[in-house]
Amino acid sequence: MRIGVIGLGDIAQRAYLPIMTQLNNVELVLCTRDTAVLASLSEKYRIKHSYSDYRQLTKKNVDAVMIHAATSVHFDIAFWFLTQGIPTFVDKPLVDSGEQVELLYNLAEKHQTPLYVGFNRRHIPLYNKHLPELASGNVGELLSLRWEKNRYNLPGDIQTFIFDDFIHALDSVNLNCKATLDDVYITHQMFGNQLSRVDVQWQAGQCLLHASMNRLTGITNETVSATYHNQSYQFSSFTRGQRWLNNEERILTSEDWTPMLATKGFEGMINDWLGVVEEGSMPLHTIERNISSHQLADLLSHQLHSLFERH
C-alpha cells in the first residue's frame, strides 16, 4: 500500500511517522514545501520518493493520502484528492466550516471514496476496554459521560479554540451524532478578547453528555468520567483510571509495555484507517458522526462569536 503523507510538521513527526514507517505493508511518499525537512526525513526513514507539491503524488499512483498540513489548507488538498478518487485521511478538524464539511463528504460520496478524520481519542485502548460505548460509538447503557480537556495559560480566538482543540472533547461525547444546538446548555468565559473556557452539555435519552475545556487552569490535563447504574469510572490520563463497583474501588491501568502512541489512540486509529483504505468504504455511522461533530462545532463557534459581539 503506497500512502502519501502531506505536511511534515510536529504532529506528523511525533505521532504518525514513527508508526507508519514501522509497517511492513506500507510504502510512504513524503510531501512538504519545506525542502530541508523533506530531505532530512527522507534520509532518516530511507524513503525513496518525496515531493514539494501534493499534486505530484498522483504520479506515484498512491493508494491513499494523509493530510497533516495546517487546517486552513485542508479543504483545497482534500478536495483535490477526492476528485481523483483517492482515499483521504485528514487530521482533525477536517475543516473549520460546517458547510465545507458537507461539501467534502458529498464529494466523497460522489466519487465513492473514503474521507477519514483523525480523531485519535476514539481509539484509546484503556477507555474502549472499560467503556464499550466509546468503542462502538453509541450511548448504550451510559448514564453520563464527561470529557474535560484543559490547558495552561492558552486562551485563544473562538474559531481556533473550538475547531483545533475543543472539538476533541466535543466529538468524544457526541455518541448520538448531535448536529444542532437544540436543547444544548452552553456556558463560556472570556479573557479579554479571547475565549478561555467553554462547557457544552446535553441529554441523549437518559444519558447526560458534557464536554468541557478550560485553557486557564494552571496545568495541561485531561480527565474522563462515566457512570452506569451503580457503577462509575474516572480516568486521569490515557493510561490510568479508577472504577467503583459494589462499594469497592479498582485501579485500572494500561497493559505493561504499551507504547505511548498506542495509549493515545494513534496506533489503533492508523490500523482502522488502513482497514478503511483496504475496504474502500467507511461505516455510515462514522461518517454521520464526523459531519455532526463539525456541524456542532460550527454552530457553537457562531453562537459564541454572536454573544461576544453583543457584549
Side-chain angles (χ1 to χ4, degrees), residues 82 85-89 105 108 111-116 273 276-277 279-282:
L82 291 174
I86 296 174
T88 302
F89 175 110
Y105 268 103
H111 292 276
Q112 298 186 348
T113 302
L115 174 57
Y116 195 103
W273 152 241
V276 165
V277 176
E279 289 290 327
S281 63
M282 287 172 54

Side-chain angles (χ1 to χ4, degrees), residues 139 143-147 166-187 199-212 289 292-293 296-297 300:
V139 172
L143 294 180
S144 71
L145 176 64
R146 175 184 168 87
W147 205 292
F166 182 63
I167 197 170
H168 263 314
L170 192 63
D171 173 75
S172 295
V173 303
N174 193 20
L175 302 179
N176 65 324
C177 298
K178 189 168 186 61
T180 73
L181 293 182
D182 296 341
D183 301 317
V184 174
Y185 181 62
I186 302 167
T187 55
D199 287 78
V200 178
Q201 182 173 319
W202 70 91
Q203 186 164 339
Q206 290 297 308
C207 182
L208 299 176
L209 300 166
H210 187 175
S212 175
R289 185 173 172 189
S292 64
S293 290
L296 201 56
L300 176 61

